[in-house]
Amino acid sequence: MQRHGDDDDDDDPMQAINNHDKVYGKTFLVHDLSGSLLPELEERGAMRRNDYYIPVSGEEKAADFGNTKDGGVSQYSKYDSIPLNSLKSDEAASGPKQGPTFQDGQRRVDYVLTYHVQKPQSVCRKTSRFADYHILRSLRRSLSMMRSGDTPPSKEDPEIAAHKHRLDYHEDDKRFRQTEFEDNLREMGLELEKDEGNKIPGIGFLKIHAPWNVLCREAEFMKLKLPTKKVYEVKQGSNVVERINLFIHKVTAPLHPKVEPNRPQNVKHLSHPFSREKQHLFDLSDRESFFDSKTRASIVYEVLKRTRCTKAKYTMGITSLLGNGVYTAAYPLHDGDVDGMGAEANDRKILYEEWASYSVFYKYQPIGLIRKYFGEKIGLYFAWLGVYTQMLIPAAIVGVIVFLYGCATVDNDIPSMEICDPRNNITMCPLCDRACSYWKLKTACGTARASHLFDNPATVFFSIFMALWATMFMEHWKRRQMRLNYIWDLTGFEEEEQAHKDHHRAEYEIQVMQKTLKKQDMYPKDKKVKLTCTDRAPAYMMGLFLMLFMIGVTFAVVFGVILYRISIKAALHMSSNPTARSNIRATVKGTAAVINLVIIIIMDEVYGAVARWLTVLEVPKTDKSFEERLIIKTFVLKFANAFSPIVYLAFFRGRMVGRPGDYVYVIGSYRMEECAHAGCLMELCIQLCITMLGKQLIQNNLFEIGIPKIKKLIRRRKSEMDSQQQEDYNMTLQRHEKDHFLGPFVGLSPEYMEMIIQFGMVTLFVASFPLAPLFALLNNIIEIRLDAKKFVTEVRRPIAARAKDIGIWYNLLRGLSKVAVIVNAFVISFTSDFIPRLVYQYMYSPDGSMHGFVNHTLSYFNVSDFKPGTAPLQPMHLGYEVQICRYKDYRETLWSNTPYDLSKEFWAILACRLAFVIVFQNVVMLMSDFVDWLIPDIPKDISLQIHKEKILMVELFMKEEEGKKLLRDNHTNQSPFQPRSRPASHTPSNC
């Protein structure tokens, strides 16, 4: 913004602040009807429009500031304010409005900014105010010198200053920036009203209203697709398909929420990007409902982001003002209350009753109303969550069947029967040095029977099924997403997204400005300076090293839990308590899994903060880049945190242990852990079960329910009012004051991250835990209503963001589904006993059965071969002297030429394991790709309707051009003495 000289720079803003202070404590407007615009405001407003819009004529420029009912131009005053009831506009005369309004009861509140209010008795410190203004002037001079080649004076390192950029402005300084920013909002045509009442001490509210002309202008700039007057019939398909859909709709009628109005389902409005020149195509009979509250708020937010707050070269919008504490919060308002006798019918109340209530958990989600109230991005999240939960139903059913199959066949499982048979008097070697003694194999009977529940032939089928299920889920979601894009008129969203993706973040612009100033200090005057990507390379390298360090911390935690298990096992073996010694395995497994869970929950919070800090440190250029980098970092750290203990149990525990007399030691006297005779699959199942259930119950549900209630309880404890007084006080608050007490919206990334980690647990190690889909289904049924209640009642209304897909989350899901095939192949092959059993049955069994399998998997060890100091301290623990003990491994016998060497059975089984991995992976991948190819991404009826829309749109514009041509011909053929009539389509626009 240009001023008329340094004198204006010094005086005009200060006068604005002084005028502002005079009206402290009153509700006032920022304009009146005093006559004409200030020349300075006209100049700044013209520059504002030239920055972002195509130049327009003088009449349209005046119209951008608002039209009166009779077509006159409403005029702005100087900085002084007037009472509310003195303003009359065409919108004020149009009748009552929906939702919260200004105090005149007519103009709707589209957006609210909050700020700290100075105490009336405080004396304004002009020195601070002027000092800050001189800082701004010096910064502008630095920028001008930078452009002209002069070198500014040396200052503090801009990189350090950037990380300190949460400037702690004095209240007077903040007020100056508020005044300047609000002046610019007025230039953009917005109408403002301040409320600095005493209901919430120390907090002031700036209510923003977008007049009709601003809505039209910004809708055209944002290329919003809005419904036209043209209506066409949606083809429902063939008669058979239509009858099937009608039958399904009737059967599932009780499951549909009662939110949609009674309108024909086979009729759709033709949509087109809004244009003021073509406004006759749209139904503008009801201006109040043409732009709904969600659209109005998003339009105002776009204006706030683009509005300049200083004369600096770089855009300093609402984001930087919030970061610097000039404003404390910015949010659109909810439509109304959700409960109570005085709550009127509104979209929020309907969502609360038909979506956010646990009593309607069995119903479908009102996705259309969610999108209407919260926007497409949030609507897509809940649509995706609904599809995911729906697809978990068949997976949960099959998983339960597999588990029940294991329960039904456990008594017929020959290997577990042989382990439990007391006649097989098999003496096993000690599980640890010195403290552990010899033990009987029959004591592992319970573990062997429990392992069969999850390690049986049906597990292989279930792994293949889940791989295909993941592919079906991805394909189903793509089709559902495409259908929603068509219904929500997002089919041409790519062009708009491309146009807005280069919008820079405020933090990036500040960093660029400060780094450029620093480089100008370092280089000669005649050398041009430009910030390059290499300037941020140290931040990237630091982020990479820190992420690797944090992953190393995760591995160190896993290693610490390993040492805990080893030491606790040895301590319990040395205990004289027989109860403790009899439950050693269960105690160690359970406590280790719980410790892992607690560490995972704590480190999750740490990793989330580290990922955000690293992303901020990199200073991404755009909001989209910032979000994607943050998601990738958070996913990598949280994925490693959640799955490191599981990966260890699945693929490392029990491997490279060695043998009795020649064990591999981890550190000092602690040797590598061994698996139970039935394998490590049971421990893997326990770890996965506790981690999954614990994260869902504690982290996802308990924290989301408990933390808001604790915060509310703390606020109530700090308040001196009792419950009745608090309720009466809440009844006196206006909508913007009630929403101020709600929590801020933090984005969808935490919600997606919960589900992505859950999806990994459902698919990656499902071979060891067939009940994982069932637990995920039960959690998601609660999660949907929990998130719904949080969005409707506990957080401020988020800005409606448009999106046509779920973004990078789809790529993460697809990557996990591909990795799941490989992981399950290795789990079946190396963690379970599926391959050794097949090899024994078809290669080594004398009668083709599983009889003798347990003896086949055990090798012999002569106790005289123990190394000194490793033999049991109590060799007579079993009541007799042991000469030879058994251990699980495939090694040569004692009487062979090469005792204790790996046997040929070991190499045969290893070859079969690797062959199974290759065959399983390729077969399942081939089947998944075939399913992917078989199911088209776009439903046929949707592709036909999209093509039909394009044809109808072309026909509509052709008819319009023909009508214009006919009017021009009639106009030309008119007699010069005959009065000429103005076509209806050329009437003056109200926009």
Side-chain angles (χ1 to χ4, degrees):
M1 296 178 299
Q2 292 292 338
R3 300 278 184 179
H4 297 296
D6 289 341
D7 293 337
D8 289 341
D9 284 344
D10 291 336
D11 298 333
D12 191 33
M14 297 303 101
Q15 182 64 34
I17 296 174
N18 293 333
N19 288 338
H20 178 82
D21 292 339
K22 292 177 183 178
V23 292
Y24 174 83
K26 298 181 181 179
T27 303
F28 56 90
L29 292 178
V30 298
H31 62 83
D32 60 10
L33 304 178
S34 60
S36 61
L37 290 169
L38 287 171
E40 181 181 340
L41 290 181
E42 288 182 334
E43 179 184 354
R44 288 152 65 185
M47 190 200 74
R48 171 81 50 212
R49 285 187 290 276
N50 290 336
D51 281 345
Y52 298 103
Y53 308 107
I54 300 174
V56 293
S57 62
E59 294 80 11
E60 189 173 358
K61 185 183 299 184
D64 280 343
F65 286 93
N67 297 336
T68 58
K69 187 174 181 179
D70 57 357
V73 180
S74 64
Q75 298 159 328
Y76 293 77
S77 72
K78 297 185 179 182
Y79 293 102
D80 294 331
S81 59
I82 63 169
L84 283 170
N85 54 11
S86 64
L87 184 137
K88 302 293 182 181
S89 66
D90 65 329
E91 292 196 71
S94 61
K97 303 297 177 183
Q98 300 175 1
T101 62
F102 281 10
Q103 289 200 3
D104 60 3
Q106 298 298 326
R107 285 164 295 171
R108 174 189 287 180
V109 179
D110 298 318
Y111 210 84
V112 170
L113 303 179
T114 67
Y115 53 91
H116 289 296
V117 177
Q118 282 180 310
K119 295 180 180 179
Q121 64 271 19
S122 64
V123 179
C124 298
R125 298 192 305 178
K126 292 187 178 181
T127 55
S128 174
R129 194 184 305 163
F130 278 102
D132 181 77
Y133 196 70
H134 285 303
I135 291 174
L136 287 176
R137 291 180 59 192
S138 63
L139 177 61
R140 292 164 190 159
R141 290 194 189 102
S142 300
L143 287 171
S144 61
M145 285 188 293
M146 179 184 63
R147 299 186 193 111
S148 62
D150 296 335
T151 303
S154 178
K155 300 288 183 183
E156 181 188 8
D157 182 10
E159 266 192 350
I160 299 176
H163 295 299
K164 299 177 182 176
H165 199 69
R166 303 296 183 202
L167 299 180
D168 188 15
Y169 293 140
H170 186 265
E171 289 297 326
D172 295 339
D173 308 327
K174 294 178 182 177
R175 187 61 59 92
F176 162 65
R177 284 166 177 76
Q178 291 173 16
T179 303
E180 188 178 10
F181 185 67
E182 290 159 13
D183 290 344
N184 296 337
L185 293 181
R186 293 197 299 269
E187 296 170 19
M188 299 295 288
L190 298 178
E191 297 178 3
L192 314 179
E193 180 182 78
K194 285 195 174 183
D195 182 2
E196 296 180 354
N198 297 321
K199 290 183 181 178
I200 306 178
I203 298 295
F205 296 90
L206 177 66
K207 296 181 282 187
I208 304 175
H209 167 74
W212 174 254
N213 55 84
V214 174
L215 295 174
C216 294
R217 185 189 69 202
E218 296 297 323
E220 182 176 359
F221 176 75
M222 296 169 63
K223 299 180 181 178
L224 293 180
K225 286 186 88 173
L226 298 172
T228 64
K229 298 177 182 178
K230 178 69 175 178
V231 178
Y232 68 97
E233 183 179 2
V234 178
K235 187 177 179 181
Q236 298 293 330
S238 62
N239 293 332
V240 177
V241 175
E242 188 174 355
R243 289 178 182 177
I244 294 175
N245 291 335
L246 183 62
F247 174 76
I248 295 175
H249 184 77
K250 288 182 178 180
V251 171
T252 60
L255 304 180
H256 291 276
K258 299 176 182 179
V259 296
E260 294 294 335
N262 294 325
R263 60 180 178 82
Q265 298 294 326
N266 59 340
V267 172
K268 187 178 184 295
H269 283 272
L270 189 65
S271 296
H272 184 264
F274 186 81
S275 172
R276 287 177 288 180
E277 294 180 355
K278 301 183 182 299
Q279 60 176 306
H280 57 277
L281 298 177
F282 304 90
D283 185 9
L284 304 181
S285 58
D286 185 5
R287 292 185 176 183
E288 183 64 26
S289 61
F290 186 72
F291 293 107
D292 56 19
S293 58
K294 174 255 300 181
T295 306
R296 298 173 70 100
S298 61
I299 287 176
V300 174
Y301 181 66
E302 288 296 323
V303 176
L304 293 175
K305 284 201 304 183
R306 297 198 311 271
T307 301
R308 299 177 187 270
C309 65
T310 68
K311 296 179 182 178
K313 174 182 176 182
Y314 302 99
T315 302
M316 303 288 193
I318 187 61
T319 307
S320 58
L321 294 178
L322 288 170
N324 295 329
V326 177
Y327 291 100
T328 57
Y331 52 90
L333 298 182
H334 283 291
D335 281 355
D337 293 321
V338 296
D339 53 6
M341 298 297 294
E344 299 179 356
N346 55 73
D347 289 343
R348 187 189 185 197
K349 184 178 176 65
I350 296 174
L351 285 172
Y352 179 76
E353 295 173 349
E354 297 292 332
W355 180 48
S357 175
Y358 292 105
S359 61
V360 294
F361 72 93
Y362 60 91
K363 288 188 176 183
Y364 294 116
Q365 299 182 88
I367 298 299
L369 186 59
I370 296 171
R371 174 253 181 177
K372 177 186 175 185
Y373 192 76
F374 292 111
E376 287 79 6
K377 194 169 186 178
I378 295 178
L380 281 174
Y381 164 71
F382 282 103
W384 173 82
L385 183 57
V387 170
Y388 173 47
T389 304
Q390 190 178 23
M391 288 293 292
L392 281 172
I393 296 176
I397 293 174
V398 176
V400 170
I401 292 174
V402 170
F403 178 75
L404 294 177
Y405 171 82
C407 295
T409 58
V410 66
D411 292 333
N412 300 324
D413 182 49
I414 296 176
S416 60
M417 291 171 62
E418 290 183 345
I419 293 175
C420 297
D421 191 351
R423 294 173 296 178
N424 294 331
N425 191 22
I426 300 177
T427 302
M428 302 296 294
C429 295
L431 296 176
C432 63
D433 294 338
R434 294 178 62 80
C436 303
S437 186
Y438 306 103
W439 57 285
K440 292 291 187 181
L441 180 61
K442 64 181 180 181
T443 59
C445 175
T447 305
R449 290 174 62 86
S451 297
H452 179 75
L453 302 179
F454 306 98
D455 185 8
N456 53 69
T459 303
V460 180
F461 160 76
F462 189 58
S463 299
I464 298 174
F465 170 82
M466 287 304 295
L468 297 178
W469 173 87
T471 303
M472 291 288 292
F473 163 60
M474 304 301 292
E475 293 302 313
H476 181 37
W477 167 243
K478 282 194 293 186
R479 291 170 63 84
R480 172 67 170 159
Q481 183 176 263
M482 194 64 210
R483 191 175 294 277
L484 291 176
N485 286 339
Y486 164 71
I487 296 174
W488 295 349
D489 298 316
L490 296 172
T491 50
F493 184 66
E494 295 88 356
E495 295 82 3
E496 178 198 344
E497 192 176 33
Q498 182 70 23
H500 288 82
K501 78 173 185 176
D502 293 331
H503 181 72
H504 292 174
R505 298 174 63 244
E507 293 83 354
Y508 172 79
E509 293 174 341
I510 293 171
Q511 188 84 335
V512 169
M513 178 177 61
Q514 295 183 348
K515 284 200 172 189
T516 306
L517 291 175
K518 178 184 176 182
K519 284 183 171 290
Q520 191 66 41
D521 287 338
M522 299 169 58
Y523 289 98
K525 297 182 180 181
D526 57 346
K527 187 170 183 178
K528 294 184 179 180
V529 178
K530 184 178 180 182
L531 180 67
T532 61
C533 295
T534 57
D535 293 298
R536 291 179 287 168
Y540 296 146
M541 297 302 297
M542 179 180 177
L544 178 61
F545 286 131
L546 190 55
M547 284 188 66
L548 293 175
F549 171 76
M550 297 305 293
I551 293 175
V553 170
T554 301
F555 293 154
V557 169
V558 174
F559 184 74
V561 176
I562 293 172
L563 295 181
Y564 163 81
R565 276 201 293 257
I566 296 172
S567 59
I568 291 297
K569 186 184 297 182
L572 291 177
H573 275 289
M574 296 176 66
S575 174
S576 58
N577 188 352
T579 305
R581 299 183 65 179
S582 62
N583 298 321
I584 289 175
R585 287 187 178 275
T587 302
V588 173
K589 291 176 186 176
T591 55
V594 171
I595 290 173
N596 271 322
L597 172 63
V598 173
I599 293 174
I600 287 172
I601 292 176
I602 294 174
M603 296 303 293
D604 257 1
E605 303 301 321
V606 175
Y607 287 151
V610 169
R612 176 167 290 276
W613 178 71
L614 289 176
T615 309
V616 171
L617 195 65
E618 293 177 1
V619 196
K621 183 179 292 186
T622 63
D623 291 328
K624 184 177 180 180
S625 175
F626 180 89
E627 184 180 13
E628 290 182 350
R629 293 186 187 186
L630 177 61
I631 289 171
I632 291 296
K633 290 180 177 63
T634 308
F635 172 76
V636 170
L637 292 175
K638 291 194 173 185
F639 185 86
N641 182 42
F643 287 93
S644 293
I646 300 173
V647 169
Y648 165 74
L649 289 174
F651 304 124
F652 294 97
R653 185 177 179 184
R655 312 293 189 270
M656 299 178 294
V657 175
R659 60 173 179 80
D662 189 20
Y663 282 112
V664 176
Y665 289 86
V666 181
I667 181 173
S669 59
Y670 296 111
R671 75 187 198 197
M672 290 288 292
E673 291 184 288
E674 297 182 56
C675 291
H677 181 79
C680 285
L681 199 67
M682 188 62 195
E683 294 190 33
L684 175 62
C685 175
I686 293 174
Q687 179 67 57
L688 187 60
C689 179
I690 292 179
T691 302
M692 185 175 181
L693 293 180
K695 280 179 65 65
Q696 292 180 167
L697 293 177
I698 299 175
Q699 195 172 24
N700 298 357
N701 295 334
L702 187 61
F703 282 5
E704 291 189 15
I705 296 175
I707 290 178
K709 290 187 179 297
I710 292 174
K711 290 181 179 179
K712 188 180 296 184
L713 182 62
I714 293 174
R715 287 199 303 264
R716 187 170 297 175
R717 289 294 182 97
K718 290 182 179 179
S719 175
E720 299 178 355
M721 296 180 290
D722 57 24
S723 58
Q724 183 61 39
Q725 291 175 334
Q726 185 72 33
E727 185 177 351
D728 296 339
Y729 172 73
N730 292 335
M731 294 293 293
T732 64
L733 296 177
Q734 300 182 46
R735 179 76 268 147
H736 60 276
E737 295 168 328
K738 292 180 180 179
D739 287 3
H740 174 74
F741 289 110
L742 300 178
F745 174 67
V746 297
L748 290 172
S749 293
E751 313 297 337
Y752 272 115
M753 192 63 66
E754 293 175 9
M755 294 297 105
I756 294 294
I757 298 297
Q758 183 199 88
F759 181 82
M761 292 186 175
V762 167
T763 55
L764 288 177
F765 295 92
V766 73
S768 63
F769 190 36
L771 295 180
L774 175 63
F775 291 136
L777 173 64
L778 297 177
N779 173 79
N780 288 4
I781 292 175
I782 301 174
E783 182 74 18
I784 290 176
R785 307 302 163 179
L786 184 64
D787 287 347
K789 191 171 184 180
K790 180 175 67 175
F791 274 76
V792 174
T793 64
E794 296 177 4
V795 300
R796 296 167 187 161
R797 188 174 183 178
I799 296 296
R802 284 179 293 172
K804 66 177 303 180
D805 52 40
I806 60 176
I808 196 173
W809 300 107
Y810 179 83
N811 298 330
L812 294 178
L813 286 169
R814 194 168 185 85
L816 283 177
S817 63
K818 298 295 185 184
V819 173
V821 177
I822 303 173
V823 170
N824 282 297
F826 276 95
V827 169
I828 295 171
S829 181
F830 286 90
T831 309
S832 74
D833 282 339
F834 177 75
I835 298 300
R837 292 186 184 190
L838 284 182
V839 172
Y840 174 79
Q841 185 174 1
Y842 292 104
M843 291 182 63
Y844 301 106
S845 176
D847 55 358
S849 67
M850 293 301 297
H851 289 286
F853 172 74
V854 174
N855 186 65
H856 181 262
T857 60
L858 298 177
S859 297
Y860 294 87
F861 178 73
N862 192 337
V863 297
S864 62
D865 293 333
F866 273 122
K867 288 184 178 180
T870 60
L873 294 176
Q874 299 177 353
M876 301 295 293
H877 173 69
L878 296 178
Y880 57 89
E881 184 179 1
V882 177
Q883 299 293 332
I884 295 177
C885 62
R886 309 291 295 275
Y887 62 97
K888 188 177 180 180
D889 205 348
Y890 292 95
R891 293 186 180 268
E892 296 290 347
T893 59
L894 298 176
W895 46 88
S896 66
N897 295 329
T898 56
Y900 302 131
D901 286 349
L902 295 173
S903 63
K904 60 181 180 180
E905 288 86 354
F906 171 84
W907 299 109
I909 292 174
L910 178 61
C912 292
R913 290 181 194 269
L914 296 175
F916 176 83
V917 169
I918 296 173
V919 173
F920 182 90
Q921 174 186 342
N922 285 278
V923 170
V924 175
M925 288 284 192
L926 182 62
M927 295 173 65
S928 300
D929 292 340
F930 176 75
V931 171
D932 191 359
W933 170 81
L934 188 65
I935 303 175
D937 295 344
I938 304 177
K940 186 177 181 181
D941 60 325
I942 296 300
S943 60
L944 292 175
Q945 293 301 329
I946 294 174
H947 182 66
K948 182 179 179 180
E949 273 196 359
K950 293 180 180 179
I951 296 176
L952 290 174
M953 188 61 67
V954 172
E955 292 178 354
L956 181 63
F957 283 109
M958 289 182 65
K959 288 181 180 179
E960 182 184 5
E961 292 299 324
E962 291 176 359
K964 289 182 180 179
K965 183 178 179 182
L966 182 60
L967 288 173
R968 285 196 298 268
D969 293 342
N970 293 337
H971 178 76
T972 304
N973 294 333
Q974 278 183 333
S975 171
F977 303 100
Q978 187 177 1
R980 294 179 292 181
S981 60
R982 182 183 294 271
S985 61
H986 291 176
T987 56
S989 169
N990 289 330
C991 293

